[in-house]
């Protein structure tokens, strides 16, 4: 049983899988850039005060803002 | 040779950001490139000619990188705007779609959308070395068959495969183009089918269902629709249940289902590995502490390089143009024509070209950071900080470049995709103290600040210098905060960006970037700068009939009485002439306005002439104080320092006057070149004029407070 969590809450270094993307003006862009349900991602690190997130997904890295990470619902895969 | 009827000889290069699109474009077109804007928007449009083996020239246009036909930034809107309008000038015969093989699934999304618009597509599958090295293999042939479109493997870095690509292009133009049918990646819901049918019935030029859908999604953003057409489509939309955002998400998900199936078939290995070098470098470069520190070191290096390495070539350019001016005067003799050519046109041209070493160096270094993939990290690191005042992570590039020169700095804002954030960056960048303010600061600080040292370590003068830079930077931040409150935008702000793998910059791309930016500076800003130079030349060289001759006569008499030698006489004549010129009249006319700041008409003249460039202030002061050599800064300082105020009998360049003047130069928009480049970059006179009023207004108020305050305190 896993508690629902967003990419903004996960522990750095632990791989997760995206389960759902909330509707938001940025949703289309997130999906188009490959951050879509089923995709495995890892939060690598944050900038100071948790403002921006460095994440890794299949062959590439992204920088995203906290509010963008908050619409990505995920579950741990390990 | 059978040509398909109605082809226009125009090809579009389209792809996601970081797909290697621009590299391929460079390989296809070589140096024969032109930069301009897409019609109606200030989005950069690069085009070049591709010569087919049969000798025909085809125009190739490079489009901004975009992830889908539902973009979030204004730049990317150009893609759907052009592709949904078959009547438009830029509508292509063929799209060369560039996709990175490593991120095939993501990159096939936009491709499948473009296919549905019914435009012939050629897929250039960019197989960069790192893809090969990582052991992932693709069956490009199978991919082409599955997609139903010709697919060519290329290497964006080396240009491998470009020949085959050109062959395929020629096939299209010679009517031997075959496309295979493919399973539809996306089907319209019954409700959407009704909607697109209604749109297609009302507008016969809409020939595809998906084209109608794109028009419905972006109705209010399309530049080519007439207001009544928008109204008509709006009415159609009212009759149907259509929620744009929901429909976009559903469509993208459906397309990806289809794409994922295809990718599984043609790729031999599941992905998941990180580029090791990138991971290792980023552990330091994006570190919460080391990251920002490394960035500051990079910036200091850039600043230092732009500042010092450009000195020598700048001196050469200045010398060449002063020799050229002298040569013209010698060849044509004295007269208004030779003066116009030498002091107006040639001096103006020199004033433009003298910035080129700085622009080249700055863009070279910035292009290297950009191409290597580092710049994306800087944006990631500083996004939050700059967002607080309405700027963008990318603004940091412009703000730092501004310490060298505002012109390349303003041009570097093109990488900011949010138009409001870009505009604010452009508006506040000139607050950053540039290198042209240095000579002015040096002269005035020398007058005002004693030479001693704080605790025997740092000189008061150096501290004052630093203070002026800090003041400029603070004004930029506060200015950004204010503009952010005032300006409205509908564009959502976002960071979400790729942090591409690090790579060795490719010289071709770097050279093309630098070349196109320098060329566009010379072409666009150059025109305006030369025009203003000629106006300033006219103001400084002419006056009401007879006044100049009278002034020269008076100066000669005066010189004879004082027994001055030839050089001193010439200097005195120049001084008297500029006093009686239109510029002198302007200076005197300005005096009532600037007297509350502690400035007299002499400073007034220098304010007028130094609008050409701030450093002209020193030269003008030299002329007014009739010093033969402009370079002799210390003697100007002595003359200015020795001058007494006829009313008070005290020193004219007292502490309050000098400080007031310094503050004026920190804040005022005293640079026609910047105005020219802001006009060019924003596409309207509105913003440079607002900038001029706000900056110079602020300068006036600050100087007024400083001068009046200090005088009241008895300084």
């Amino acid at each position: 049983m896993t508690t629902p969590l967003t990419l903004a809450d996960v522990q750095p270094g632990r791989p997760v899988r995206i389960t759902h993307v909330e509707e938001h003006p940025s949703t289309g862009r997130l999906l188009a850039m490959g951050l879509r349900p089923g995709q495995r991602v890892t939060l690598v690190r944050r900038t100071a005060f948790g403002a921006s997130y460095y994440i890794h997904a299949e062959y590439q890295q992204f920088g995203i803002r906290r509010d963008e990470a908050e619409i990505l619902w995920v579950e741990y895969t390990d | 040779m059978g040509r398909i009827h109605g082809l226009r000889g125009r090809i579009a290069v389209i792809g996601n950001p970081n797909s290697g699109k621009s590299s391929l474009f460079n390989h296809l077109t070589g140096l024969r490139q032109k930069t301009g804007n897409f019609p109606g928007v200030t989005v950069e449009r690069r085009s070049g000619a591709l010569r087919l083996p049969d000798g025909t020239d085809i125009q190739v246009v490079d489009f901004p990188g975009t992830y889908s036909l539902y973009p979030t930034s204004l730049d990317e809107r150009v893609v759907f705007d052009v592709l949904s309008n078959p009547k438009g000038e830029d509508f292509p015969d063929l799209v060369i779609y560039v996709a990175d093989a490593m991120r095939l699934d993501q990159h096939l999304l936009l491709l499948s959308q473009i296919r549905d618009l019914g435009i012939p597509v050629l897929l250039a599958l960019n197989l960069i070395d790192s893809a090969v090295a990582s052991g992932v293999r693709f069956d490009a042939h199978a991919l082409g068959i599955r997609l139903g479109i010709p697919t060519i493997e290329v290497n964006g870095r080396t240009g491998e495969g470009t020949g085959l690509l050109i062959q395929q292009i020629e096939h299209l133009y010679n009517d031997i183009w075959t496309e295979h049918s493919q399973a539809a990646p996306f089907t319209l819901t019954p409700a959407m089918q009704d909607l697109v049918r209604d749109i297609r019935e009302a507008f016969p030029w809409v020939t595809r269902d998906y084209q109608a859908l794109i028009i419905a999604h972006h109705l209010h953003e399309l530049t080519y629709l007439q207001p009544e057409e928008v109204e008509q489509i709006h009415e159609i939309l009212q009759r149907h249940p259509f929620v744009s955002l929901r429909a976009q998400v559903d469509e993208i998900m459906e397309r990806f289902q289809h794409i994922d199936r295809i990718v599984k078939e043609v790729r031999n290995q599941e992905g998941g590995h990180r580029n090791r070098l990138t991971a290792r470098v980023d552990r330091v470069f994006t570190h919460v502490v080391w990251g920002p520190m490394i960035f500051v070191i990079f910036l200091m290096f850039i600043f230092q390089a732009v500042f010092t390495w450009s000195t020598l070539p700048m001196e050469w350019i200045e010398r060449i143009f002063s020799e050229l001016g002298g040569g013209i005067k010698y060849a044509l003799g004295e007269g208004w024509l030779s003066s116009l050519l030498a002091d107006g046109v040639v001096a103006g041209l020199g004033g433009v070209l003298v910035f080129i070493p700085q622009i080249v160096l700055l863009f070279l270094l910035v292009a290297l950071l950009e191409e290597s993939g580092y710049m994306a990290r800087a944006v990631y690191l500083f996004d939050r900080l700059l967002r607080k005042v309405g700027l963008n992570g990318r603004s940091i590039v412009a703000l730092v470049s501004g310490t060298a020169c505002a012109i390349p700095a303003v041009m570097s804002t093109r990488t900011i995709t949010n138009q409001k954030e870009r505009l604010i960056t452009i508006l506040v960048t000139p607050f950053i103290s540039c290198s042209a303010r240095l000579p002015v600061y040096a002269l005035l600080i020398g007058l005002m600040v004693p030479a001693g040292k704080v605790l025997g370590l740092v000189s008061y003068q150096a501290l004052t210098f630093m203070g002026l830079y800090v003041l400029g930077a603070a004004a930029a931040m506060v200015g950004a905060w204010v503009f952010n409150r005032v300006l409205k935008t509908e564009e959502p702000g976002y960071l979400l960006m790729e942090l591409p793998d690090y790579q060795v910059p490719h010289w071709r791309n770097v050279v093309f970037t630098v070349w196109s930016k320098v060329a566009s500076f010379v072409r666009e800003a150059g025109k305006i700068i030369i025009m203003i130079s000629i106006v300033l030349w006219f103001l400084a060289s002419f006056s009401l009939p007879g006044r100049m001759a009278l002034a020269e006569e008076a100066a000669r008499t005066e010189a004879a009485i004082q027994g001055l030698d030839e050089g001193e006489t010439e200097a005195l004549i120049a001084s008297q002439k500029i006093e009686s010129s239109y510029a002198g009249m302007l200076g005197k006319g300005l005096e009532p306005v600037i007297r509350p700041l502690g400035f007299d008409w002499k400073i007034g003249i220098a304010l007028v002439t130094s609008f050409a460039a701030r450093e002209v202030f020193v030269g003008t002061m030299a002329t007014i104080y009739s010093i033969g050599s402009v370079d002799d800064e210390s003697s100007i300082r002595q003359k200015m320092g020795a001058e007494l105020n006829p009313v008070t009998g005290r020193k004219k360049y007292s502490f309050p006057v000098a400080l007031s003047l310094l503050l004026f130069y920190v804040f005022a928009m005293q640079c026609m070149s910047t105005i020219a480049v802001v006009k060019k970059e924003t596409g309207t006179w509105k913003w440079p004029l607002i900038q001029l009023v706000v900056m110079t207004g602020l300068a006036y108020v600050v100087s007024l407070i400083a001068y009046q305050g200090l005088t009241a305190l008895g300084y």
Side-chain angles (χ1 to χ4, degrees):
Chain A
M1 177 67 208
T2 50
T3 45
L5 76 167
T6 72
L7 192 60
D9 313 313
V10 304
Q11 291 169 22
R14 275 185 77 182
V16 292
R17 182 186 292 112
I18 299 174
T19 54
H20 170 69
V21 184
E22 246 177 66
E23 225 166 277
H24 178 271
S26 291
T27 307
R29 189 177 168 89
L30 282 163
L31 295 175
M33 286 176 73
L35 296 172
R36 53 197 166 91
Q39 179 71 266
R40 268 177 252 215
V41 297
T42 310
L43 170 63
V44 180
R45 63 181 68 86
R46 305 185 178 99
T47 58
F49 314 113
S52 306
Y53 292 65
Y54 184 120
I55 63 172
H56 171 242
E58 208 185 35
Y59 294 119
Q60 55 189 331
Q61 302 76 228
F62 297 98
I64 70 175
R65 284 180 182 166
R66 188 184 169 84
D67 55 357
E68 291 156 350
E70 277 169 348
I71 62 170
L72 291 170
W73 291 86
V74 297
E75 60 186 17
Y76 286 115
T77 57
D78 55 0
Chain B
M1 170 171 47
R3 279 283 163 80
I4 295 178
H5 184 70
L7 290 186
R8 310 144 173 241
R10 195 164 294 125
I11 291 175
V13 180
I14 295 177
N16 285 21
N18 306 309
S19 59
K21 184 177 60 66
S22 294
S23 300
L24 191 71
F25 174 78
N26 289 340
H27 279 297
L28 283 174
T29 60
L31 258 177
R32 297 193 293 163
Q33 297 185 1
K34 272 193 278 185
T35 44
N37 283 337
F38 282 98
V41 283
T42 49
V43 175
E44 192 178 55
R45 174 188 185 275
R46 286 205 303 159
S47 68
L50 165 68
R51 180 152 296 168
L52 295 180
D54 69 6
T56 18
D57 272 340
I58 306 287
Q59 196 196 23
V60 185
V61 180
D62 187 18
F63 280 71
T66 183
Y67 292 101
S68 80
L69 291 181
Y70 305 117
T72 28
S73 84
L74 286 176
D75 261 25
E76 300 169 60
R77 289 183 187 174
V78 166
V79 178
F80 70 66
D81 197 60
V82 169
L83 295 187
S84 65
N85 177 24
K87 302 174 293 183
E89 203 177 296
D90 275 320
F91 189 78
D93 303 325
L94 168 70
V95 168
I96 296 178
Y97 188 85
V98 188
D100 180 350
M102 292 293 281
R103 289 167 295 167
L104 195 57
D105 47 352
Q106 178 195 324
H107 286 202
L108 288 183
L109 173 68
L110 176 61
L111 174 69
S112 82
Q113 290 178 318
I114 292 172
R115 273 228 75 184
D116 284 353
L117 287 173
I119 306 167
V121 186
L122 185 54
L123 174 59
L125 187 65
N126 194 5
L127 261 173
I128 49 166
D129 315 327
S130 63
V132 181
S134 70
V136 182
R137 290 201 206 301
F138 298 91
D139 188 341
H141 183 69
L143 179 65
I145 290 173
R146 278 300 267 116
L147 293 170
I149 55 178
T151 301
I152 312 281
E153 276 184 35
V154 296
N155 184 325
R157 290 175 72 77
T158 61
E160 246 173 283
T162 318
L164 275 174
L165 201 63
I166 293 173
Q167 235 173 50
Q168 283 290 337
I169 295 169
E170 203 175 19
H171 284 173
L172 174 86
Y173 282 95
N174 289 325
D175 211 2
I176 39 180
W177 178 264
T178 41
E179 280 194 64
H180 307 280
S181 59
Q182 55 152 4
F186 166 62
T187 44
L188 298 171
T189 62
M192 276 188 200
Q193 282 173 7
D194 292 345
L195 170 70
V196 300
R197 196 194 50 234
D198 285 1
I199 293 176
R200 289 185 56 181
E201 268 169 17
F203 300 92
W205 55 268
V206 181
T207 54
R208 292 279 178 150
D209 285 353
Y210 192 59
Q211 183 192 357
L213 191 66
I214 286 297
I215 291 171
H217 275 297
H218 299 301
L219 183 58
H220 299 286
E221 295 155 9
L222 297 169
T223 58
Y224 57 85
L225 288 180
Q226 299 303 313
E228 57 273 14
E229 291 177 311
V230 174
E231 185 53 36
Q232 204 179 339
I233 298 171
H234 184 71
E235 277 167 22
I236 295 173
L237 284 175
Q238 297 284 296
R239 298 202 300 266
H240 296 272
F242 178 69
V243 184
S244 181
L245 189 63
R246 186 70 250 165
Q248 287 176 25
V249 171
D250 290 344
E251 179 194 323
I252 291 174
M253 292 305 289
E254 193 178 332
R255 285 183 189 277
F256 270 132
Q257 275 181 11
H258 182 76
I259 289 165
D260 283 342
R261 273 200 302 276
I262 295 180
V263 172
K264 234 174 232 154
E265 284 171 33
V266 300
R267 188 159 71 181
N268 74 338
Q269 185 189 316
E270 276 294 303
H273 302 292
R274 278 190 82 186
N275 179 311
R276 284 230 195 91
L277 175 73
T278 297
R280 227 176 273 159
V281 173
D282 270 344
R283 211 171 293 157
V284 183
F285 278 23
T286 62
H287 187 269
V288 78
V289 178
W290 309 128
M293 279 170 71
I294 288 167
F295 179 74
V296 170
I297 291 170
F298 274 144
L299 289 191
M300 279 163 59
F301 173 76
I302 291 178
F303 179 32
Q304 181 70 9
V306 170
F307 212 65
T308 56
W309 298 354
S310 63
T311 322
L312 215 56
M314 285 175 90
E315 277 170 14
W316 293 338
I317 293 172
E318 274 173 348
R319 186 165 308 159
I320 288 168
F321 278 89
S322 91
E323 293 286 326
L324 199 61
I328 288 172
K329 283 195 169 167
Y330 180 76
L332 295 178
E334 287 289 324
W336 70 268
L337 182 65
S338 79
S339 175
L340 168 65
L341 290 177
D343 303 329
V345 178
V346 171
L349 201 62
V352 179
L353 298 183
V354 78
F355 289 116
I356 285 182
Q358 286 192 336
I359 292 181
V360 168
L361 268 170
L362 188 66
F363 278 128
L364 180 69
L365 295 170
V366 169
L368 288 176
L369 288 185
E370 195 87 52
E371 275 279 309
S372 66
Y374 178 74
M375 209 57 101
R377 274 72 184 180
V379 176
Y380 158 78
L381 284 172
F382 290 98
D383 176 69
R384 173 63 175 273
L385 194 72
L386 292 163
R387 196 152 49 106
K388 284 206 161 160
V389 291
L391 298 172
N392 178 290
R394 288 193 171 255
S395 311
I396 197 121
V397 182
L399 295 178
V400 171
S401 309
T403 54
C405 178
I407 295 158
V410 165
M411 287 162 70
S412 74
T413 60
R414 287 190 190 155
T415 52
I416 301 172
T417 50
N418 180 303
Q419 295 298 304
K420 180 186 168 186
E421 291 168 344
R422 173 170 182 241
L423 180 61
I424 295 178
T425 310
I426 290 176
L427 291 176
V428 302
T429 294
F431 273 124
I432 302 290
S433 282
C434 62
S435 60
R437 284 167 169 104
L438 267 179
V440 183
Y441 288 175
L443 175 66
L444 293 171
I445 288 177
L447 270 175
M448 182 181 96
V449 183
K453 285 184 178 172
V454 181
L455 303 171
L457 283 173
V458 189
S459 76
Y460 290 119
Q461 298 191 342
L463 273 182
T464 317
F465 254 122
M466 256 180 61
L468 295 175
Y469 274 90
V470 171
L471 211 57
M477 289 300 123
V478 175
W481 188 83
V482 172
F483 280 126
N484 187 34
R485 299 278 135 159
V486 177
L487 297 171
K488 293 275 165 276
T489 181
E490 286 168 23
E491 233 182 326
Y494 59 86
L495 169 62
L496 183 55
M497 63 181 301
E498 277 180 51
L499 303 171
D501 287 340
Y502 288 107
Q503 58 171 3
V504 178
H506 199 284
W507 67 268
R508 249 183 121 93
N509 295 344
V510 173
V511 167
F512 279 120
T513 308
V514 174
W515 168 255
S516 78
K517 286 189 171 159
V518 171
S520 89
F521 165 71
V522 172
R523 218 174 26 241
E524 304 293 328
K527 273 187 284 193
I528 302 173
I529 295 170
I530 288 176
M531 260 165 46
I532 299 180
S533 298
I534 291 172
V535 171
L536 286 175
W537 163 82
F538 176 81
L539 290 177
S541 317
F542 287 91
S543 184
L544 299 172
R547 277 195 64 164
M548 288 299 233
L550 256 153
E552 187 172 343
E553 198 54 42
R556 281 195 194 286
T557 319
E558 172 81 24
I561 292 167
Q562 292 189 14
L564 300 178
D565 67 25
E566 200 180 324
E568 290 169 330
T569 310
E570 286 301 316
L572 187 65
I573 292 171
S575 149
Q576 300 278 332
K577 271 181 144 174
I578 197 166
E579 183 181 343
S580 61
S581 70
Y582 286 120
M585 291 160 72
L586 262 174
K588 289 191 173 164
L590 220 54
E591 203 177 41
V593 183
I594 57 178
R595 194 178 294 133
L597 312 183
F599 304 164
D600 63 358
W601 63 268
K602 293 178 184 177
I603 297 176
I605 296 177
L607 289 183
V608 171
T609 57
S610 72
F611 191 66
R614 293 176 178 92
E615 69 268 26
V616 172
F617 176 85
V618 179
T620 306
M621 282 316 221
T623 308
I624 297 172
Y625 283 93
S626 61
I627 287 153
S629 160
V630 174
D631 300 325
D632 198 354
E633 191 185 282
S634 65
S635 65
I636 307 167
R637 194 183 299 161
Q638 281 166 13
K639 282 224 180 189
M640 286 170 69
E643 196 182 12
L644 299 179
N645 186 322
V647 182
T648 59
R650 296 176 55 183
K651 277 197 175 174
K652 191 161 189 180
Y653 287 90
S654 59
F655 181 67
V657 173
L659 182 71
S660 159
L661 195 51
L662 262 181
L663 290 173
F664 191 86
Y665 271 93
V666 169
F667 297 115
M669 175 63 143
Q670 278 286 105
C671 180
M672 63 173 185
S673 310
T674 305
I675 290 183
V677 88
V678 171
K679 149 80 172 69
K680 180 189 171 303
E681 292 296 315
T682 59
T684 141
W685 280 108
K686 178 181 166 192
W687 297 114
L689 289 177
I690 286 178
Q691 211 170 15
L692 180 66
V693 170
V694 168
M695 290 182 67
T696 307
L698 177 69
Y700 189 90
V701 172
V702 172
S703 294
L704 182 73
I705 292 169
Y707 178 74
Q708 296 296 345
L710 286 173
T711 318
L713 289 172
Y715 275 95

